[in-house]
C-alpha cells in the first residue's frame, strides 16, 4: 500500500487549495503539484511557490495520482464532467466540496472512479485543520491512506464509513471554527460591558482562550476536571457558570450542532 504522494492536481486554486498546498510544499520529497485555475494572477503566485499552473483543467490532471477538487460546489456540474475524457481508472478524486454527495460526483466521471470526500475546516490554513474523510464505494483502503497523507501536513483526520455522517462532521468541525470565534466575540463584548477597552478585552480574552486551550491539551485532564478546579463553591466562576447553565448552555450548543447537521442534509438533498 503506497502512501507516498508523487503528483497532485488541484482543480481550483483558491483559499482552501492554497492552504493545502502550503502544507504539501513542506514535504520531502516534494510532490509535483499542478493547479488549474482560470485566474492568471493566482496562477502566477502558485508558480512562484514552485507549483505548475494552467487554465486547462483536463490538462492539469494528466499523470496526477490524486486530483483535488477545490472549486465552489456551484460550478462542479460544469467542471467535473470536463475531467471525464482524460480520467484514468487508478486516479483518486478527493473532493472538498461542502455538501456535494459522492454519487453525484461519480455520475460525472467514468464508472468505477475512485472518489474520497473530505470536509476540512479553515485552520487548515495554519496547519491545524480538522478533516473528515469518507470513501466512495469504488475507493480502496490504499486510496484512503493516500488521502490521509495528503491532509497530514495541514491537520488531523477522522474517517467515517457512512457518507451521511459527513453532515455531522460538517456540523462539528467544518462549521466549528465559527462557534469558537462567536464565543470569543461574546466574551470580548462581555468584557467591554465590564468597562475594558476593545484592545484590553481582546488581550484578556485572547490570552485566556489560548492559554486555557494549551493547558487542556498539555495537562492530560478532561475539560470538566479543569473547569471544576477553577470553580469554588459559591465563588465567582460558579456564579458565571450558573448563569450559563440556567440558559441550558449544553442543550443550546447541542441544538446548534443539530441545526447545522440538518441544514447540511437539506443542502445535500438540493
Ligand atoms: N472555506 C472553508 O471554510 C471550507 C471548508 C470546507 C470546505 N470548503 C470547500 O472548499 C471549496 C473551495 O473553497 P474556497 O474557499 O477555497 O473557494 P475559492 O477561494 O473561491 O476557490 C475556488 C477557486 O476555484 C476557481 N475556479 C472557478 N471556476 C473554475 C473552473 N471552471 N475551473 C477551475 N477553477 C475554477 C476560482 O476562481 P475564481 O475566483 O476566478 O472564480 C477560485 O480560485 C468549496 O467547494 C467549499 O465548499 C471550504
Amino acid at each position: 500500500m503506497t502512501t507516498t504522494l508523487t503528483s497532485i492536481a488541484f482543480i481550483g486554486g483558491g483559499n482552501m487549495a492554497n492552504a493545502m498546498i502550503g502544507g504539501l510544499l513542506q514535504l520531502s520529497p516534494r510532490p509535483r503539484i499542478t493547479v488549474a485555475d482560470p485566474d492568471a494572477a493566482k496562477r502566477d503566485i502558485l508558480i512562484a511557490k514552485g507549483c505548475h499552473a494552467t487554465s486547462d483543467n483536463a490538462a492539469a490532471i494528466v499523470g496526477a495520482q490524486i486530483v483535488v477538487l477545490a472549486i465552489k460546489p456551484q460550478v462542479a456540474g460544469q467542471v467535473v464532467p470536463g475531467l471525464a475524457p482524460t480520467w484514468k481508472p487508478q486516479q483518486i478524486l478527493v473532493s472538498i466540496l461542502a455538501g456535494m454527495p459522492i454519487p453525484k460526483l461519480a455520475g460525472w466521471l467514468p464508472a468505477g472512479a475512485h472518489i474520497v470526500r473530505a470536509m476540512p475546516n479553515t485552520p487548515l490554513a495554519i496547519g491545524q485543520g480538522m478533516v473528515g474523510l469518507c470513501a466512495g464505494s469504488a475507493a480502496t483502503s490504499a486510496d484512503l491512506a493516500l488521502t490521509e497523507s495528503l491532509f497530514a501536513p495541514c491537520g488531523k483526520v477522522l474517517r467515517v464509513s457512512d457518507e451521511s455522517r459527513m453532515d455531522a462532521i460538517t456540523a462539528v468541525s467544518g462549521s466549528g471554527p465559527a462557534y469558537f470565534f462567536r464565543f470569543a466575540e461574546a466574551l470580548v463584548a462581555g468584557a467591554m460591558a465590564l468597562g475594558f477597552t476593545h484592545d484590553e478585552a481582546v488581550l484578556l480574552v485572547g490570552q485566556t482562550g489560548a492559554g486555557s486551550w494549551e493547558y487542556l491539551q498539555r495537562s492530560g485532564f478532561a475539560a470538566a476536571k479543569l473547569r471544576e478546579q477553577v470553580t469554588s463553591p459559591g465563588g465567582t466562576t460558579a456564579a458565571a457558570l450558573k448563569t450559563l447553565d440556567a440558559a441550558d448552555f449544553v442543550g443550546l450548543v447541542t441544538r446548534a450542532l443539530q441545526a447545522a447537521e440538518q441544514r447540511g442534509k437539506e443542502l445535500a438533498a438540493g
Side-chain angles (χ1 to χ4, degrees):
M1 182 185 298
T2 177
T3 52
T4 306
L5 295 165
T6 54
S7 168
I8 305 156
F10 283 83
I11 305 299
N15 298 317
M16 295 305 274
N18 273 280
M20 290 177 68
I21 289 166
L24 292 167
L25 289 173
Q26 308 303 317
L27 290 179
S28 179
R30 185 191 275 193
R32 179 186 164 87
I33 299 172
T34 306
V35 186
D37 196 285
D39 185 335
K42 283 185 193 154
R43 294 201 301 272
D44 287 344
I45 292 169
L46 287 158
I47 290 167
K49 288 181 183 172
C51 301
H52 301 265
T54 172
S55 59
D56 184 340
N57 293 340
I61 71 167
V62 173
Q65 178 190 32
I66 292 186
V67 176
V68 181
L69 197 60
I71 49 173
K72 290 287 188 200
Q74 304 86 288
V75 296
Q78 293 115 61
V79 172
V80 184
L83 305 178
T86 41
W87 192 262
K88 292 283 179 282
Q90 71 277 14
Q91 289 182 308
I92 308 164
L93 183 80
V94 175
S95 166
I96 64 165
L97 274 53
M100 177 65 65
I102 295 172
K104 196 159 187 180
L105 294 164
W108 290 320
L109 289 176
H114 297 203
I115 301 175
V116 177
R117 182 172 161 193
M119 170 46 66
N121 63 12
T122 51
L124 198 82
I126 56 156
Q128 295 291 339
M130 183 66 227
V131 186
L133 288 185
C134 180
S137 56
T140 65
S141 56
D143 296 339
L144 266 175
L146 201 60
T147 307
E148 278 200 6
S149 58
L150 174 77
F151 287 106
C154 44
K156 294 188 178 173
V157 167
L158 178 72
R159 295 183 188 186
V160 293
S161 49
D162 176 354
E163 194 182 357
S164 71
R165 298 298 294 151
M166 291 302 277
D167 295 317
I169 292 272
T170 305
V172 178
S173 58
S175 303
Y179 314 149
F180 281 91
F181 302 145
R182 191 76 184 97
F183 194 55
E185 285 178 81
L187 287 173
V188 167
M192 290 174 71
L194 294 185
F196 293 105
T197 66
H198 180 261
D199 286 357
E200 288 169 339
V202 167
L203 173 67
L204 288 166
V205 171
Q207 181 55 23
T208 303
S212 303
W213 193 253
E214 190 77 22
Y215 187 36
L216 176 64
Q217 302 276 300
R218 284 207 226 162
S219 69
F221 292 123
K225 167 123 179 125
L226 295 179
R227 171 178 52 77
E228 282 161 14
Q229 280 178 2
V230 190
T231 315
S232 317
T236 58
T237 313
L241 294 177
K242 192 175 166 191
T243 307
L244 287 176
D245 289 339
D248 187 20
F249 186 59
V250 174
L252 182 66
V253 171
T254 304
R255 290 195 298 281
L257 297 193
Q258 287 166 341
E261 183 190 31
Q262 178 57 30
R263 186 65 188 135
K265 288 188 194 307
E266 288 165 8
L267 290 171

